[in-house]
Amino acid sequence: MKVRDAQVRDHDELLQIIARSQLRCPALAQVSLREESPPDYALARLIRQQGHEDKVLVAQFAGQLVGCMSVTSMVAVGPLQENFDLQTYDQLVQPDVYEAALAAHMQRNTGAAVGKFMTENSGGATHAGAQSDPVPAQGQQQPADTASSKQLLAEVLQELQKGDTTPNAFAMTMLCCDPESQQKAASLALLAAAFDAFPDKDYCLLTLPPDSPELPLLATFTRLVPPPGSSLVEVLYLCHRFSLLEDFQVIGMATIQPFTDLSQLQHSFHVASVPGLTQDGAANKHVMLLTSFCLNPIFAHRAEQFLLDILKRCNGHLLLYLLSPDQASIEVLRVFRQVAPRHRLQGAPATLQPEFALFAFWHEASSRTPVNSHVVVAGASVCGLSVIESLLMHETLAFNALTLLAPGGHCSGQPAAMYKADLIVRLGLHASVNVLDVELVSIDREQQTVVLSDNRTLQYGVLVLSMGLSCEAMVLNQSALGLPQVVSLPMLPGRIQKGVKATKSIIVHGPISEACTAMAQLEAAGVNLQSARYLRPSRQAEISLAEEAAGLMLPAAAQAAGVALPAARQVSNLEVQRAEDNSKVVVTATGSSGESIVEEADLLVVAAAKTEVPGCIVKAAAQNNLVCDGRLVVDAAFRTNDPKIFAAGTIAKFSRRYGTGLCHSRYNSQEVGQKAAESIAATFNSPFLGDSALPKLQIGRLTTTALPGGGVFAYAHAAGGQHSSLMDTQGHRRLVSQTQHGYCQLTLEASGIIQSALLCTAKKEPELPPELLLPLVGLSVSYLHELLHNYEAGSMPDVPYYLRQPWTSLLYHDRFPQLRSALLQNLVGTGQPLQELDGNSIGASDETEVACVQNDVVGFLKLQGASEFPQYAVSAYIS
């Protein structure tokens, strides 16, 4: 491969190479001139204008031109210094200039803070033998940057920009290679020649749009994605001249140790997805744990080869890394694959609940295509967190710029919420997601920006609106909500923290489900509920925060379970005034018979509310012409009428062209988030998704309500269901159990599918945990063994107790849906429809089918490990 300066006679041949290269990377196949000029013969002018500052290089192989590169030393590094953390690279100026600026600043600013700053930030990457600070050992906390250090760095940066400092870098403005078979060799030869053309420059820079594909040469560069709020949208790539060395010896250091105890990992992560990781500890002698790591940043592109060499020297095949919440993320994790945490319905023992995220690196791991486009998810709801998790764990795409807007932090929600605090830890969001404690205020579609509550402006490539609905308390005079004696249900926990135990008189106003939640919270805070009065809104005014069906079923279920609910007075037209002594509030309302009701209280809890799209989103939709019809309207791919803006969760609904009543609130929020993430990922593979059919949303939805006295009411219904438990639908059957374990009701469709499940109990720790109702919905009742037969025979007095027998643990396993799907697919060869096969028994004479099912089940149990299912005698089937 020969490289030389371009000549004008190369013009026509280069034009053909550029034209073909535009199909692979349009951003790098553009002729860029410093001065504005007509596009005609721009390439010829660029070649003629070559000098000390600009070069056009061509690569020649076997007498044919195979590539060209345009570079320039006229680089404006100021914007890059302001928008990227370039301390490691001496702020892209000469090392002696950067060190002199630091020394001069030390002389003027003596003190501990300056010394700390020099300690933390000294030693750039310019010197080939320099090494970055090592990663702390597992469990060791890494010191955080102080505000004074950041301020000093900003001051040093200002001094550098004031002076006449020459950048220690040149920029690549064009790279075109053809044919594709010569692309890697030609581009590497051109890059080496570019460094030779600028012997006084150590770095080659390149900026590309976030949606630009990455050419093979960029594997030699270090990628820097602009942080949230940056004024730059482009991704910065930089390469040090020493990174091209092939025979360099010392580039980093790592410490590892053997790792064989998988009990913790097995219970909390999908270890079965990692090749070579088995449940047998003895078989995992080739699994290693990375405990500390450092790598010279100019060789960051060699991290993968470095790790492979480590495994080879240690005779290992798998390398694990455990990232705890108090550890900073490390650059090398970009070549690891994060292991997805398990969403367990049955919690593991405390000793088996790890407080870290798990990453794995192994031989021949498939590389993922980088996605540098900024994806902003607004709202840390269950749906929003599900979108983030699904994008992080994507099999073929690596999302490098994820931002989550989480006002107040990512909370775990109600007791049966899918994202509890321990699961958030195992997601390791701080490793690859920018979590901002801010709210979205407004949207600018044309500029693709959002304004945040801290007045920052954030650029996005894809925006996902997944915040929940806002709740507006239902009081005729809204000004009363500002009184200190009036609190809405969402604000009640904050009021309880300030102290309510001594409150003598309390009024709770709201639907029964919300009122029970409020009273349960007050009771847990030590309030005597005998001093509380309950005013229930009239039916016309009732708009429940929880599922309306659950609210209507709760009184009857509580009565059947022996749970005492607060006595209610039905009222309408509620108004609130401050009492004359200003210490209480006066509540006036109209009773069910038209009588006037006047009562005083020290505290009024307004649990009655209407839910609606947040005002900022309604305003943003109107300003940006987004369709909002009570909810944000989306197509089957979760896109609004702006293809760059997605919406999912309770804030959204599918368009009416797919049917009516298709609000996302009728479906499982976690599954909605997963499907939305699939559509987002698909846009980076195929920008035009077309008008596809609605996604298959099959997982049910669970609503739980805490009851006074410590009990619980739970209702699970099928996805998009019509709440058949409320009505005598023809063909539906109900299996009812009323025992010491509470009231339980399963509603079956005519086909035997469990359409809904209901549980109400006075026990603080019920026999059947509420979250275990959800996996039952959508299953054939035949999966519950002899439940239906025994119930019809009168020998099934206690359904909750039956559903907690040891054999049922398989039904509640987080991988059971995959086992069920595999069984059905293997049996489809029998010629029967899947719907008929699902849940039906196989005759003993069907030896082939019996063996097929047995092998699948035993294989599944072996894969999960004996500790997962000690009640199953798996060893009897293992030869």
Side-chain angles (χ1 to χ4, degrees):
M1 189 72 65
K2 178 183 178 182
V3 178
R4 59 173 173 81
D5 290 346
Q7 301 175 7
V8 176
R9 60 184 173 84
D10 301 323
H11 178 271
D12 292 347
E13 194 171 352
L14 289 178
L15 280 182
Q16 298 179 26
I17 294 177
I18 293 174
R20 289 190 291 267
S21 298
Q22 286 179 342
L23 300 176
R24 288 190 290 268
C25 186
L28 275 177
Q30 305 293 329
V31 178
S32 176
L33 294 172
R34 282 202 300 238
E35 68 278 357
E36 294 185 3
S37 59
D40 296 338
Y41 299 103
L43 178 60
R45 287 195 297 274
L46 181 65
I47 294 174
R48 289 196 186 97
Q49 292 173 4
Q50 290 185 87
H52 296 292
E53 298 174 344
D54 302 282
K55 291 288 184 182
V56 180
L57 305 171
V58 295
Q60 195 170 10
F61 180 76
Q64 298 292 324
L65 294 184
V66 294
C68 64
M69 176 184 291
S70 174
V71 291
T72 178
S73 61
M74 300 298 292
V75 181
V77 296
L80 302 180
Q81 294 169 340
E82 294 172 358
N83 289 278
F84 295 95
D85 182 7
L86 299 174
Q87 299 179 59
T88 306
Y89 312 102
D90 296 326
Q91 298 296 342
L92 297 180
V93 298
Q94 294 294 339
D96 55 342
V97 175
Y98 183 59
E99 292 170 3
L102 288 174
H105 201 82
M106 283 186 63
Q107 293 177 359
R108 290 191 299 271
N109 300 274
T110 59
V114 176
K116 179 180 174 74
F117 172 77
M118 290 297 297
T119 301
E120 292 179 354
N121 300 286
S122 62
T126 304
H127 309 292
Q131 294 183 353
S132 60
D133 292 338
V135 176
Q138 295 295 326
Q140 179 182 348
Q141 185 169 354
Q142 188 178 33
D145 291 338
T146 61
S148 58
S149 296
K150 294 181 179 180
Q151 181 180 358
L152 287 171
L153 177 62
E155 292 174 359
V156 171
L157 196 58
Q158 289 179 358
E159 287 193 10
L160 287 174
Q161 294 176 352
K162 287 180 182 177
D164 186 18
T165 58
T166 302
N168 187 26
F170 63 91
M172 183 193 309
T173 59
M174 181 179 66
L175 175 62
C176 300
C177 297
D178 191 77
E180 193 169 357
S181 60
Q182 296 292 334
Q183 186 177 110
K184 185 175 182 179
S187 56
L188 282 173
L190 287 167
L191 180 61
F195 276 112
D196 292 340
F198 299 107
D200 58 333
K201 309 295 184 184
D202 288 331
Y203 291 97
C204 175
L205 308 180
L206 171 66
T207 58
L208 290 176
D211 57 353
S212 176
E214 293 188 355
L215 295 178
L217 178 65
L218 296 186
T220 314
F221 285 64
T222 299
R223 180 197 310 113
L224 297 179
V225 179
S230 172
S231 60
L232 291 181
V233 181
E234 290 81 8
V235 179
L236 173 63
Y237 299 84
L238 54 86
C239 175
H240 193 279
R241 63 169 58 246
F242 288 159
S243 66
L244 299 180
L245 295 176
E246 292 295 336
D247 56 351
F248 201 83
Q249 298 297 318
V250 181
I251 66 171
M253 181 274 293
T255 59
I256 63 172
Q257 65 186 39
F259 189 84
T260 57
D261 183 11
L262 294 180
S263 56
Q264 227 184 13
L265 304 186
Q266 175 189 348
H267 278 81
S268 300
F269 298 95
H270 288 293
V271 296
S273 64
V274 181
L277 201 57
T278 69
Q279 310 305 324
D280 183 7
N284 291 310
K285 60 182 179 180
H286 299 296
V287 176
M288 303 295 171
L289 178 67
L290 180 67
T291 56
S292 65
F293 182 89
C294 70
L295 182 68
N296 191 316
I298 67 175
F299 297 103
H301 65 285
R302 296 189 182 179
E304 183 175 356
Q305 185 59 48
F306 184 30
L307 295 177
L308 289 173
D309 289 343
I310 291 175
L311 288 177
K312 182 179 180 180
R313 290 175 179 271
C314 299
N315 194 28
H317 67 258
L318 180 66
L319 192 62
L320 301 179
Y321 185 76
L322 315 180
L323 181 68
S324 59
D326 56 4
Q327 284 182 274
S329 179
I330 56 177
E331 174 64 23
V332 74
L333 286 185
R334 65 182 177 82
V335 300
F336 278 69
R337 294 293 290 268
Q338 185 170 357
V339 183
R342 291 178 58 182
H343 291 258
R344 294 179 61 98
L345 294 175
Q346 303 175 90
T351 56
L352 296 178
Q353 294 184 4
E355 296 183 353
F356 53 77
L358 178 63
F359 296 82
F361 174 84
W362 63 90
H363 291 278
E364 300 179 356
S366 59
S367 60
R368 298 190 295 174
T369 303
V371 176
N372 301 320
S373 185
H374 198 179
V375 179
V376 178
V377 179
S381 60
V382 171
C383 183
L385 289 172
S386 180
V387 170
I388 288 289
E389 179 185 10
S390 300
L391 295 179
L392 281 177
M393 309 300 167
H394 199 275
E395 284 294 322
T396 60
L397 299 177
F399 289 85
N400 298 317
L402 290 175
T403 296
L404 175 64
L405 307 185
H410 28 67
C411 55
S412 57
Q414 57 181 337
M418 297 302 298
Y419 289 93
K420 295 183 173 64
D422 59 337
L423 182 58
I424 294 294
V425 169
R426 291 194 286 275
L427 279 176
L429 297 184
H430 69 291
S432 45
V433 180
N434 295 298
V435 181
L436 305 180
D437 185 5
V438 292
E439 293 182 350
L440 184 148
V441 175
S442 63
I443 303 172
D444 188 334
R445 279 181 62 183
E446 293 185 359
Q447 299 297 323
Q448 289 189 206
T449 59
V450 294
V451 177
L452 308 179
S453 55
D454 59 359
N455 295 322
R456 279 189 292 175
T457 299
L458 197 64
Q459 195 86 23
Y460 68 84
V462 171
L463 175 63
V464 186
L465 302 175
S466 61
M467 64 280 289
L469 298 172
S470 64
C471 304
E472 181 181 349
M474 293 177 61
V475 181
L476 289 181
N477 52 330
Q478 291 289 308
S479 60
L481 296 176
L483 299 177
Q485 299 87 355
V486 181
V487 61
S488 62
L489 181 59
M491 305 304 295
L492 181 57
R495 178 59 182 271
I496 288 176
Q497 289 182 352
K498 297 179 181 179
V500 294
K501 187 174 182 179
T503 305
K504 296 181 179 179
S505 61
I506 298 176
I507 293 177
V508 177
H509 173 64
I512 184 63
S513 56
E514 284 80 359
C516 286
T517 299
M519 292 189 180
Q521 293 178 6
L522 291 169
E523 185 180 44
V527 174
N528 185 357
L529 293 184
Q530 292 183 351
S531 63
R533 289 154 287 170
Y534 173 36
L535 302 181
R536 182 175 182 176
S538 62
R539 186 69 178 273
Q540 291 75 16
E542 181 174 341
I543 303 178
S544 178
L545 285 175
E547 295 287 346
E548 182 181 2
L552 295 174
M553 287 186 290
L554 194 156
Q559 183 179 3
V563 178
L565 297 181
R569 295 184 64 180
Q570 189 166 306
V571 300
S572 60
N573 302 324
L574 185 85
E575 292 194 56
V576 183
Q577 304 292 337
R578 191 193 296 267
E580 292 184 359
D581 61 358
N582 293 331
S583 63
K584 298 184 177 183
V585 290
V586 178
V587 178
T588 61
T590 303
S592 57
S593 302
E595 74 278 15
S596 178
I597 298 175
V598 180
E599 296 192 10
E600 285 189 346
D602 296 321
L603 178 66
L604 170 64
V605 180
V606 183
K610 58 182 179 180
T611 55
E612 55 188 13
V613 176
C616 63
I617 299 300
V618 174
K619 183 178 180 181
Q623 293 175 341
N624 294 276
N625 296 321
L626 300 178
V627 180
C628 185
D629 179 18
R631 301 286 189 271
L632 287 174
V633 179
V634 298
D635 63 9
F638 297 88
R639 298 169 302 189
T640 64
N641 50 303
D642 184 336
K644 297 292 185 181
I645 301 179
F646 292 71
T650 55
I651 197 175
K653 68 177 182 181
F654 291 116
S655 172
R656 291 181 181 177
R657 68 176 179 268
Y658 305 107
T660 58
L662 295 177
C663 293
H664 292 186
S665 58
R666 294 174 55 188
Y667 303 95
N668 183 281
S669 295
Q670 185 185 13
E671 186 181 24
V672 168
Q674 293 170 349
K675 297 297 184 181
E678 290 178 8
S679 294
I680 294 169
T683 62
F684 295 100
N685 292 323
S686 176
F688 179 71
L689 297 179
D691 193 8
S692 57
L694 286 178
K696 292 183 179 180
L697 298 169
Q698 300 173 325
I699 302 177
R701 184 175 176 87
L702 176 67
T703 300
T704 59
T705 299
L707 302 178
V712 65
F713 170 83
Y715 174 67
H717 64 85
Q722 298 296 325
H723 313 299
S724 63
S725 297
L726 297 175
M727 58 199 78
D728 292 325
T729 306
Q730 185 178 5
H732 284 206
R733 301 183 58 187
R734 291 175 180 80
L735 310 185
V736 177
S737 171
Q738 188 173 345
T739 66
Q740 61 177 347
H741 292 131
Y743 176 81
C744 182
Q745 174 183 295
L746 301 180
T747 302
L748 311 181
E749 297 177 358
S751 60
I753 300 297
I754 301 174
Q755 197 274 339
S756 66
L758 181 151
L759 175 69
C760 186
T761 177
K763 291 189 174 184
K764 294 183 179 180
E765 296 182 0
E767 177 69 25
L768 182 66
E771 57 267 25
L772 297 188
L773 295 178
L774 191 55
L776 303 178
V777 173
L779 286 180
S780 169
V781 71
S782 300
Y783 281 98
L784 304 184
H785 199 43
E786 299 292 334
L787 173 63
L788 183 58
H789 174 75
N790 292 342
Y791 183 85
E792 292 175 340
S795 58
M796 183 62 65
D798 195 335
V799 172
Y801 178 77
Y802 178 83
L803 294 175
R804 286 298 283 158
Q805 296 301 303
W807 66 268
T808 61
S809 61
L810 182 60
L811 299 177
Y812 307 131
H813 195 272
D814 53 325
R815 302 293 293 180
F816 177 73
Q818 285 77 6
L819 172 62
R820 177 187 171 201
S821 176
L823 291 175
L824 293 174
Q825 291 300 325
N826 287 340
L827 291 175
V828 74
T830 61
Q832 300 181 58
L834 286 179
Q835 189 172 4
E836 295 182 9
L837 286 169
D838 193 18
N840 288 339
S841 60
I842 299 174
S845 59
D846 301 329
E847 295 181 2
T848 303
E849 288 79 3
V850 171
C852 181
V853 170
Q854 177 177 291
N855 291 336
D856 281 347
V857 174
V858 171
F860 174 82
L861 296 175
K862 287 174 58 180
L863 183 63
Q864 303 307 320
S867 60
E868 289 275 298
F869 302 102
Q871 61 274 46
Y872 286 88
V874 181
S875 59
Y877 296 94
I878 302 177
S879 56

